[in-house]
């Protein structure tokens, strides 16, 4: 069973899973409304909101990921690029850092956080590492904190990054 939505072929299971996330996924204001401007606190609020929601609906998350892979393999949408809810949340979480970080390190921070906030991180922790849901949350939280700390370290302000340190 499949349905075409905006040029994409979606399985009915994926449509049901998407509707679960549409109802369950928090908005930017719900996640960051009363958090303040401290970078790690903002990012950890997003990490918790996204990864807790994904783990609470793990089966639905897996259906959505499966469908995204099937769509990409079929060439149905031609892009292979998935726009997800987490991108908006991550961008909002790090937006106050635009005063501190140059554009490229800020972009790198957003991209790095997308690696530890979202379904791919959950799948890697659960399936590759064999972690429980609780340990998955501890690892993704630690990784998000480490990424923020690194981004805010001195070399990020100077435009440095991986491979650009003096050796």
């Amino acid at each position: 069973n499949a349905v075409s939505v905006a040029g994409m072929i979606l399985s009915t299971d994926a449509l049901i899973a998407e509707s679960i996330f549409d109802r369950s996924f928090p908005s930017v204001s719900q996640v960051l409304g009363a958090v303040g401007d401290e970078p790690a606190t903002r990012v950890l609020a997003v990490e918790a909101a996204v990864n807790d929601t994904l783990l609470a609906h793990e089966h639905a998350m897996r259906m959505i990921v499966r469908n995204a892979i099937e769509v990409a393999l079929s060439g149905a949408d031609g892009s292979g690029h998935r726009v997800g809810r987490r991108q908006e949340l991550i961008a909002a979480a790090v937006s106050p850092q635009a005063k501190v970080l140059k554009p490229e390190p800020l972009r790198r921070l957003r991209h790095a956080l997308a690696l530890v906030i979202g379904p791919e991180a959950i799948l890697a922790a659960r399936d590759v590492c064999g972690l429980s849901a609780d340990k998955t949350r501890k690892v993704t939280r630690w990784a998000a904190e480490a990424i923020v700390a690194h981004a805010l370290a001195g070399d990020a302000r100077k435009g440095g990054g991986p491979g650009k340190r003096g050796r």
Side-chain angles (χ1 to χ4, degrees), residues 139-155:
V139 168
T140 58
R141 181 179 181 85
W142 179 88
E145 284 181 300
I147 290 168
V148 170
H150 181 76
L152 297 178
D155 67 338

Side-chain angles (χ1 to χ4, degrees), residues 7 11 57-58 63 78 104 107 140 144 149:
S11 72
H57 304 286
E58 190 171 348
M63 284 190 288
E104 183 53 33
R107 191 172 15 263
T140 58

